[in-house]
Amino acid sequence: MEKKLAIITGADGGMGTEITRAVASAGYRVMMACYDIPRAKAKREMLIKDTGNPDIEIRFVDLASLKTVADFAEEMLSSGEHVDLLMNNAGTMETRRIITEDGLERTVSVNYVGPYLLTRKLLPLMGKGSRVVNMVSCTYAIGKLDFPDFFQKGKKGSFWRIPIYSNTKLALTLFTIELSRRVMERGIAVNAADPGIVSTDIITMHAWFDPLTDIFFRPFIRTPKQGAATAISLLLDEEAGKRSGTLNVSCHPKNLSDKYLHHRQIAELWERTEAIVRKWL
């Protein structure tokens, strides 16, 4: 019997490694969609040894380049393989404003537009029982979408990484809600996972006080394994596969207010994002 297929972006990172380990241990064939290939190769060897599952492969995907996202998706479409799980896990929090080849602020591309394009292009390979999980953050609650500045600069005004990161997580949360409605009749479950505050490289501030925060702060936040638990449950648990359009915290769905379920910009966000990725669809 052919193994089910899972695609995991950022599979070589802290939480990505734990998610890949769980999915591979569950018997899936896993594609690690990664940017840092040398690091991914090292993680792959470790994961094969840990899980006993040799069906783990690496594919290059740079979410800051929509062309590489589209190229990877086109390879998948050409193969015609059914996609059972898509884990949009990769993320970044840039320390300065970087504009991608597509004219997007890099955090926006990696955290939102890249995952959006990847998911949209892979939808023809999904069907009843397929699951899409988007890794969001509790910071979505302070996110704000200023158009058109959101796509080009991350936020209105000067660069500030934390609000920009929050804005991308709000966008990804709204994408989760809207996509779940659009694919509901096809039986595809689309949910968001909030990992909490996790001890990964992404929270490093690259400032003089980093050694102090490592001493006083990191011991009290979640490990990558703890942070990955909610996403893993959404990917693998039977009950989790029965819900869609939900935000999940500590492996349980969280009630979202109408402010998000019927966000005043949810339709505009979809339309503006579609205009950006249309050439790749």
Side-chain angles (χ1 to χ4, degrees):
M1 183 176 178
E2 189 173 345
K3 286 185 176 180
K4 293 183 177 181
L5 175 62
I7 298 172
I8 302 170
T9 68
D12 57 331
M15 288 191 292
T17 298
E18 297 302 329
I19 294 168
T20 303
R21 177 180 284 111
V23 173
S25 295
Y28 284 79
R29 185 164 75 87
V30 183
M31 283 190 182
M32 301 173 66
C34 302
Y35 172 73
D36 188 338
I37 299 302
R39 183 169 78 162
K41 287 181 177 178
K43 290 292 180 75
R44 175 182 178 270
E45 293 304 314
M46 177 191 72
L47 289 165
I48 290 174
K49 183 178 179 181
D50 290 350
T51 65
N53 183 347
D55 292 324
I56 303 174
E57 56 188 282
I58 299 168
R59 297 291 181 90
F60 175 75
V61 176
D62 178 4
L63 293 169
S65 167
L66 298 185
K67 182 181 185 304
T68 75
V69 175
D71 287 348
F72 167 72
E74 285 295 335
E75 286 182 20
M76 294 303 305
L77 290 167
S78 295
S79 74
E81 293 184 83
H82 182 79
V83 175
D84 296 278
L85 305 178
L86 172 59
M87 178 72 231
N88 288 311
N89 166 71
T92 187
M93 187 191 293
E94 296 299 317
T95 58
R96 61 187 177 88
R97 179 165 287 146
I98 300 172
I99 305 303
T100 71
E101 62 193 35
D102 304 295
L104 303 170
E105 192 279 325
R106 193 173 190 276
T107 312
V108 174
S109 183
V110 173
N111 292 4
Y112 171 63
V113 181
Y116 181 106
L117 175 60
L118 179 62
T119 306
R120 286 279 286 108
K121 285 189 71 68
L122 292 180
L123 283 177
L125 299 177
M126 301 182 197
K128 187 175 182 179
S130 293
R131 305 187 193 189
V132 177
V133 177
N134 296 321
M135 191 71 83
V136 296
S137 161
C138 59
T139 62
Y140 79 90
I142 59 171
K144 185 179 180 182
L145 301 178
D146 291 314
F147 297 126
D149 298 279
F150 168 67
F151 292 102
Q152 300 164 354
K153 299 193 298 180
K155 64 180 287 290
K156 186 177 288 185
S158 60
F159 180 88
W160 187 12
R161 79 177 97 171
I162 295 175
I164 292 173
Y165 179 83
S166 303
N167 296 346
T168 64
K169 293 305 183 178
L170 171 60
L172 194 60
T173 300
L174 297 182
F175 172 55
T176 302
I177 295 168
E178 181 63 17
L179 181 65
S180 70
R181 293 168 179 162
R182 292 174 180 253
V183 299
M184 184 180 297
E185 291 186 357
R186 294 180 55 194
I188 302 171
V190 186
N191 292 288
D194 172 6
I197 306 300
V198 181
S199 182
T200 65
D201 291 340
I202 203 170
I203 67 169
T204 299
M205 295 293 107
H206 302 282
W208 64 267
F209 50 77
D210 276 340
L212 295 177
T213 59
D214 281 346
I215 293 171
F216 295 108
F217 183 55
R218 284 188 188 270
F220 300 99
I221 59 181
R222 295 183 177 184
T223 64
K225 185 175 182 178
Q226 291 170 328
T230 297
I232 292 169
S233 71
L234 287 171
L235 291 168
L236 300 178
D237 289 359
E238 183 178 349
E239 284 302 312
K242 298 177 182 177
R243 61 179 181 265
S244 190
T246 64
L247 172 65
N248 296 261
V249 182
S250 298
C251 301
H252 297 286
K254 175 183 177 181
N255 290 328
L256 281 170
S257 68
D258 282 349
K259 175 183 177 181
Y260 300 105
L261 294 175
H262 304 287
H263 196 280
R264 62 185 179 83
Q265 293 171 297
I266 196 167
E268 183 180 4
L269 175 65
W270 182 280
E271 291 166 4
R272 285 182 177 272
T273 312
E274 283 285 299
I276 291 170
V277 304
R278 186 168 293 129
K279 65 181 287 187
W280 307 110
L281 294 177

